[in-house]
Amino acid sequence: MRLMLFFKLVILSLCASLLFFALAPESTLVDTLKLMAFGTVSSIAVTAFYPDIRGIKLGDKVSVVNSSSTPGILGRLGKAMAHCKKNDRVKIVLDNGGEILGIVESYSGLISPPKIRAIYEERLVD
C-alpha cells in the first residue's frame, strides 16, 4: 500500500519539477535536478510517516490474522467499521459477511494492508 503512495508522490513531484523547468525562463538543468531530488526525498518522508499519522479510517481495507507472527499479506481481507489507531480495538466486516473484533497490530506495509489481530469472531450459522 505504501508503495503505490510513494510512486504517486514521485510522479507528482517529477511533473511539478519539469513544469517549473518549462515555465521559468531562468531555471537551469541543475535547478531542475535539485527540485527532482527534493521531491523524491519528500516522497520518501511522506510515505514513511503518513500511515502512522492517518491511522485506519472507516471503510479502509484491512488484513485480519490470528496471531502476531503471521504476515499481514496472508490474512483475510475485510473493512474497518471505525476510525482507529495502533493498539485500538476495532470491528471488522469480512468480505464473506462475518464480523471480527480485533486489535490493530500495524499499519500498512509496502504492499500489504493494515494488520489486525483477531480476538473474537462471529461466525454465520447456516
Side-chain angles (χ1 to χ4, degrees):
M1 296 299 177
R2 288 187 188 193
L3 201 56
M4 290 305 297
L5 176 64
F6 172 71
F7 284 128
K8 288 177 187 177
L9 291 173
V10 166
I11 289 172
L12 182 67
S13 67
L14 290 177
C15 289
S17 301
L18 292 174
L19 186 64
F20 176 77
F21 180 69
L23 297 178
E26 69 279 351
S27 67
T28 64
L29 187 60
V30 174
D31 293 336
T32 306
L33 290 175
K34 286 181 182 180
L35 281 174
M36 287 180 183
F38 176 74
T40 303
V41 167
S42 61
S43 298
I44 292 170
V46 167
T47 303
F49 297 113
Y50 177 71
D52 295 331
I53 294 168
R54 181 180 184 269
I56 297 174
K57 302 293 181 198
L58 175 78
D60 282 356
K61 288 282 189 183
V62 295
S63 176
V64 179
V65 295
N66 290 329
S67 70
S68 297
S69 61
T70 306
I73 200 158
L74 299 178
R76 297 175 286 173
L77 290 178
K79 286 185 183 179
M81 292 287 99
H83 302 298
C84 54
K85 297 282 186 181
K86 199 168 190 178
N87 296 324
D88 286 348
R89 288 185 180 194
V90 63
K91 183 177 176 181
I92 307 297
V93 174
L94 298 175
D95 293 339
N96 65 1
E99 293 181 358
I100 291 181
L101 182 65
I103 296 176
V104 178
E105 288 284 318
S106 66
Y107 297 121
S108 60
L110 285 178
I111 57 174
S112 64
K115 183 167 85 168
I116 309 294
R117 181 174 43 92
I119 56 175
Y120 177 75
E121 180 174 357
E122 291 183 17
R123 296 182 188 244
L124 297 175
V125 178
D126 291 330

